Amino acid sequence: MANRSYLYSTHCLPGEEGCETAARIGLSEWAYDIPLVYKLLVSGQPRACPSSIWESDDDIAIAGNYAEGVARLKRFLARIDLPSAQPMIQEALAFLDDPANVSTYIVLESREIFEMQGDDLGAQNQDLLVEIADAGADEDDIIAALHAPAAEPHGLLGKLFGPSHDDLSGDLHPEVLDDIGLGAWSNDLYFDLSMTAELPGDDDIRS
């Protein structure tokens, strides 16, 4: 199975008293990356917090204000005026505005991604907080790439989205927006935290 990052919403901030068994609502999961959309969604007053999936001595998850994060994402998506992008954008907004998904906090769980890069999970989580604070630069780069003339974005798209997108020649393809974290909205994630459950230990980490 692929290593993934996970998004949940919850009314109880992980780490606060009484929140250990509070339900989390699944929102999305993404294979082999922590996409920009996830970073924007936890960018409202982001803070490190305990994982709701794995026991750890370090704070290896990040929580942000749900309303502020969604507002930040909406401002970013409003800058994308390409007609072919609108169905995917509207799907994202409808899902995140659904009262069944709206909570006080949104939580990003990235341990599986961290483990692809090294053992110091707490330090990697702190580095991720810095990336979240600097996400505005990534927004600008992606908007420029999506709207660039056909002859110009060749290398930039390759840098942002990987070799598979290096030949897009400036045309917007649905997979480009897929790569920033849209199109994977679901309440049914690999780790179901919608009901009280015991946290897995290190022996239960998915490989």
Side-chain angles (χ1 to χ4, degrees), residues 191-207:
F191 293 105
D192 181 5
L193 306 181
S194 59
M195 300 178 65
T196 300
E198 183 179 353
L199 295 179
D202 289 340
D203 292 338
D204 301 308
I205 296 171
R206 182 158 53 92
S207 59

Side-chain angles (χ1 to χ4, degrees), residues 17 27 33 50 58 62 86 94 120 123 167 187:
E17 184 176 357
L27 300 178
D33 196 12
D58 297 316
I62 292 174
Q86 300 313 306
D120 196 339
D167 60 352
N187 297 130

Side-chain angles (χ1 to χ4, degrees), residues 94-154:
F95 184 87
L96 293 168
D97 286 338
D98 186 336
N101 297 323
V102 175
S103 293
T104 307
Y105 303 101
I106 191 162
V107 180
L108 173 59
E109 296 273 3
S110 305
R111 175 171 181 159
E112 291 183 5
I113 305 301
F114 296 157
E115 290 182 331
M116 297 167 56
Q117 303 168 10
D119 296 330
D120 196 339
L121 308 183
Q124 289 189 66
N125 201 49
Q126 291 298 318
D127 290 342
L128 180 57
L129 275 173
V130 174
E131 292 181 27
I132 290 167
D134 294 338
D138 292 335
E139 292 183 68
D140 292 340
D141 286 346
I142 288 170
I143 294 299
L146 293 177
H147 293 84
E152 296 181 9
H154 192 85

Side-chain angles (χ1 to χ4, degrees), residues 13-204:
L13 181 66
E16 289 190 345
E17 184 176 357
C19 290
E20 294 83 359
T21 58
R24 276 71 163 154
I25 301 167
L27 300 178
S28 185
E29 61 186 31
W30 200 263
Y32 300 121
D33 196 12
I34 305 167
L36 176 63
V37 164
Y38 287 22
K39 295 174 185 177
L40 296 179
L41 283 171
V42 294
S43 65
Q45 304 177 51
R47 72 216 70 176
C49 66
S51 173
S52 299
I53 301 176
W54 299 281
E55 293 181 346
S56 174
D57 293 334
D58 297 316
D59 287 345
I60 58 172
I62 292 174
N65 180 278
Y66 189 100
E68 292 182 21
V70 171
R72 171 79 178 275
L73 177 63
K74 288 180 177 179
R75 291 194 297 272
F76 168 64
L77 295 178
R79 300 171 63 189
I80 302 174
D81 56 8
L82 297 157
S84 56
Q86 300 313 306
M88 189 175 292
I89 290 173
Q90 293 307 314
E91 177 194 27
L93 299 182
F95 184 87
L96 293 168
D97 286 338
D98 186 336
N101 297 323
V102 175
S103 293
T104 307
Y105 303 101
I106 191 162
V107 180
L108 173 59
E109 296 273 3
S110 305
R111 175 171 181 159
E112 291 183 5
I113 305 301
F114 296 157
E115 290 182 331
M116 297 167 56
Q117 303 168 10
D119 296 330
D120 196 339
L121 308 183
Q124 289 189 66
N125 201 49
Q126 291 298 318
D127 290 342
L128 180 57
L129 275 173
V130 174
E131 292 181 27
I132 290 167
D134 294 338
D138 292 335
E139 292 183 68
D140 292 340
D141 286 346
I142 288 170
I143 294 299
L146 293 177
H147 293 84
E152 296 181 9
H154 192 85
L156 180 56
L157 282 175
K159 177 181 178 182
L160 290 174
F161 303 115
S164 62
H165 300 292
D166 199 34
D167 60 352
L168 293 184
S169 301
D171 294 329
L172 174 67
H173 291 244
E175 61 266 29
V176 174
L177 286 177
D178 284 345
D179 282 348
I180 63 172
L182 298 173
W185 307 107
S186 176
N187 297 130
D188 299 320
L189 307 188
Y190 185 88
F191 293 105
D192 181 5
L193 306 181
S194 59
M195 300 178 65
T196 300
E198 183 179 353
L199 295 179
D202 289 340
D203 292 338
D204 301 308

